[in-house]
Amino acid sequence: MHLILDTDIGNGIAGANTDDGLALALILASKEIKLEMISTVSGNVSNIIAYSVAKHFLKLWNLNIPVYLGANSALKEPMKPWRDRLDNSVKKQNLKSLWDTIKKPKIMKNIIPNAPLKMGELIMQNPKKISICAIGPLTNIAIAMRLFKDFDKNVKEIHIMGGSFDMPSYIKDTNFGFDPEAANIVLNSKAKIVLAPYNATMQTLLTHKDLDELENKNELCNYLIQTLRAWIYYASHTRGTKGTWIHDALSVAYMLDESIAEFDEYFVDVVCDSSLVRGLAYRVEKEPKLSLGLNLKEKRSVKVLKNINNPKLLELIKTRLLKGICYKNYKNITT
Amino acid sequence: MHLILDTDIGNGIAGANTDDGLALALILASKEIKLEMISTVSGNVSNIIAYSVAKHFLKLWNLNIPVYLGANSALKEPMKPWRDRLDNSVKKQNLKSLWDTIKKPKIMKNIIPNAPLKMGELIMQNPKKISICAIGPLTNIAIAMRLFKDFDKNVKEIHIMGGSFDMPSYIKDTNFGFDPEAANIVLNSKAKIVLAPYNATMQTLLTHKDLDELENKNELCNYLIQTLRAWIYYASHTRGTKGTWIHDALSVAYMLDESIAEFDEYFVDVVCDSSLVRGLAYRVEKEPKLSLGLNLKEKRSVKVLKNINNPKLLELIKTRLLKGICYKNYKNITT
Amino acid sequence: MHLILDTDIGNGIAGANTDDGLALALILASKEIKLEMISTVSGNVSNIIAYSVAKHFLKLWNLNIPVYLGANSALKEPMKPWRDRLDNSVKKQNLKSLWDTIKKPKIMKNIIPNAPLKMGELIMQNPKKISICAIGPLTNIAIAMRLFKDFDKNVKEIHIMGGSFDMPSYIKDTNFGFDPEAANIVLNSKAKIVLAPYNATMQTLLTHKDLDELENKNELCNYLIQTLRAWIYYASHTRGTKGTWIHDALSVAYMLDESIAEFDEYFVDVVCDSSLVRGLAYRVEKEPKLSLGLNLKEKRSVKVLKNINNPKLLELIKTRLLKGICYKNYKNITT
Amino acid sequence: MHLILDTDIGNGIAGANTDDGLALALILASKEIKLEMISTVSGNVSNIIAYSVAKHFLKLWNLNIPVYLGANSALKEPMKPWRDRLDNSVKKQNLKSLWDTIKKPKIMKNIIPNAPLKMGELIMQNPKKISICAIGPLTNIAIAMRLFKDFDKNVKEIHIMGGSFDMPSYIKDTNFGFDPEAANIVLNSKAKIVLAPYNATMQTLLTHKDLDELENKNELCNYLIQTLRAWIYYASHTRGTKGTWIHDALSVAYMLDESIAEFDEYFVDVVCDSSLVRGLAYRVEKEPKLSLGLNLKEKRSVKVLKNINNPKLLELIKTRLLKGICYKNYKNITT
């Protein structure tokens, strides 16, 4: 399958979640997927950091997959509170030293943010052939949908990691909550969508013991382990978990093997017009018993993943990563 | 315990849910509870019908508990779509004949809607002594809270049936959804609140077989059975259930025996300022992991019931009802 | 004409606007108006202070017009920022001494807030006979409208002082802005409404020189002058005006003589569901050129005053006040 | 001055307003302005029609100014009701024949919507040197602001036609109302903004008599007159005006001669989070008397035009147009 990866990847950056890197590694290690391009977006890290990390990642293996810079900030959401939270937590908690031994990617400058344009061109020139795996805020895809007429009808499928339904600890998540308008645009489009929400991804867990099995097996594993270990130490300290949730890589894994999760069909949306619950995701059955006030006529339902088989997921990830980078995904549409 | 029952009781009215009547019966059959007054509110049925039904109910047993008429309509929510749905479903489904054999209460006229005032006087004159069991929309209580300063600090406890959390079939429920502003007012007050949401009450079930055990045991049981049977037939037809959920009576039962349910503490609120999810209830942990945009500092958390023990609940209800009306709850504060 | 005055009167209270007192005086000095009752509401001052001031005012002339306590706080609007602004500005500006020589009314306690009920009873028992002059936040009237079915169709007319349209200095006013939901309820009712917005009332001005003409003419004038002078000093200091705007008394004056103002018919509403412009009033022509998104079908238009004739208004006020209190308004409906 | 024109130009399209064409003509006839590029956006007409019209216009005079296609639809606003209104009014009113004699531009296909990217590159490569004249919905500029960091600080000035303040006939206008989120993004940026709202532009009027003075004077005048006459007939029929308002060309004219209008400084914003007044523009003084609920600290104020000198405006437009296209605006930054 042909794929665009839209990501706020931050592997190697102190305090940044590393599941984007795991997702990218899983893609590169899976011959079924032909990665056409990577677009980067502000989210866990800023767009330019994500761009630099992705470039750094690909350069390690001399991969010439195009990387494009995407949106610098969310459509309407004020960025200051988010950046303050996402960028500074590691300092506030005095845990920056966890990343001391990791080589930092060089942060680039003066890159043109043409990701939505490149994404749109690719989708429009190859109707219904290319899917998107969106594991950051949905800003780039929302912009592409507003620039290109019928982008939503021409994308094959969008696999999204985002949203949390009735999780009293997370009134919003860092993807939909970071850019509620973008999520609203994408979720109300005609695109075919598979959604991996927090409710599903938090049923996963990757531990140090899992990483032990990958240690010194190949360069891809070693690079990943380095950034993942720091994050697991950090996550276990700040979230009290024994490992790390596999948010983003679940979306990739489900593309590779649909048997690792079940799903329900729901109408899904994100609240934009509320002062208190802006960014809250909600889901509605296709034929709700009480739907007063909702207008569901023209909405398309979304596959929402549930009941993750974590052992199977870990097995899939390990098996692939142990084989290392798969070179066959070079001969893609664009070349 | 001294109690005010605030209700949209509609037992005997075609198409109206009968759990308010079951709740009232359970109160009258429980000597621990001293019912000080009944206030009626528009919800499942209009305020004046609820008033007439409550009066009719009490008259059957010559009980002189005061009944007061409350709010005619929700604070801000347009009533037309709700009344159309709540009052006309039974006709649309051609199931009105289910109520044919039940004697209809006489609908009264020209009653003064002094319920919020009477409720307020009683609460303020007996600080921290009287609880409220609110099993309809919260309009009356919200109005009392706006009229009487510190009403919320003087009520002992409010047991509320309302709200549904992430129930994709019910984007809103008929209590909070019917008057979102009222729910918002009460849930943001300083009152001590125990909440029985749909999530909890839908773990209950009362079937024809349960009613069989009460048949011909006493007049209270017979009156109740008559209205409940019609409703169960109706509910099984329209909702596909084998019986009826015990929404409102659960709030009463929990007052009598806290072991029938567990609870969690949450901040709970209802969305008012959104065109699409107006009326949606949401809950937040006391120390959420991601709370950007929420202002929880001055909010009081709420006990939210869960994990209902349905057999124990049914046992409690049956045991009480089989004993019939308990006369000791006459010597109340007001007389 | 039979009238209910709904007011947040604060004459004599340091920092409180005095136009409510002027409005009440104008009513009491006008034999055309039969004042049936006064209801008090929280706004410029708290409901209980307004109640105490009104009682004090009537007692000065031994008038037995009933005064009722109304709502303690707005329906949904948080009170803290408003009370902080309305009650403490005079202290912050160190201008409390302006009120030093004025005898303060005794603040009462333990009064039952039955104003909406009494207002409702009076209106419902005398259909289309009694008007309301609402010169504070609309909380009481909104509550009465929710308690009493068809209250809006039975009130003769509601004269409201409130709202400001496109006044860049006042994104909201202290009546509609103080309780947006209440204003929304009243403005969307079927009641016949005449509205005096800030845009109109700020075309008025009452100066010390005007008060000079009333000095030592009768007791009513002297009482009023005492409180008005303090306010004019305060207003000229804080608002830079040479006198005080006649907000509330304009509504009364227009009832007495419609030639002091012109009007346009508009649909008027107050924004409730917006984080930034909550409380903002807006007006729409009866047949707007661009009305996308508005639902005006069932709305009733409102007379909105404009082009105030200030000299004529001052003349009317002075002429009436110079004659002193008019005793004929005692024989009212209620006695 | 160096300029980007962002426009929903529709001259020659039946039922489309022609003031964008007048604005473009005024630019091309003014040697002070160096037009660097034209970006097109959906608004009065769709983006691709605007693109085709602009290309057609430039081709008439063999001008090689780059034209780029911009956003196909507004960020979040549903397009259906707008398109229905904007595209079909002329048919509904049976006035399509007014455009019968005008040669229609050929509608192009498969154009890449790179306007926000090209706009961003130009602005970022020439910091504080290039202004934008935005006379359609602000979608393109909003997208550029989200793609390019500090776009707002690098644009010299943005001259915007949009918004209407307290115009009871126009609860929203067709620029801000068409894309409220885009207007919100631009108005809350750090860019220096001059705004020509409906309140100002409706003080202008261009009549058939004015066009008579331009008749047969040069090709530019003749082309314009052809499309403008049809529109004036249409506008006089549908709006009851004797001519047409000069909305967009006012923004251009003010760049050329600031003495044709006065201005006030306001904070300006557009309501996004309200079901009823979504799209409503409002303005607040820099130091409002009552600002409860507003957060103005980081907002930049906007110059809002008022008191248009219509004779001077007409004089300026006529003088320029009579001279015809000015060729000096070719030597621009980009070549």
Side-chain angles (χ1 to χ4, degrees), chain D residues 167-186:
Chain D
M167 300 195 74
S169 266
Y170 295 84
I171 194 73
K172 54 183 86 169
D173 75 297
T174 53
N175 284 348
F176 287 5
F178 189 92
D179 193 343
E181 276 74 17
N184 172 278
I185 289 167
V186 175

Side-chain angles (χ1 to χ4, degrees), chain D residues 5 8 38 65 90 120 129 135 147 164 168 179 187 213 232 246 253 266 271 297 302 304 315-316 324:
Chain D
L5 179 68
D8 52 350
I38 296 173
I65 298 158
V90 70
K129 284 207 182 138
I135 56 178
L147 290 175
S164 76
D179 193 343
L187 291 166
E213 298 178 36
I232 292 179
I246 308 168
Y266 290 114
V271 180
K297 272 178 211 168
V302 164
V304 181
E315 183 60 29
L316 177 118

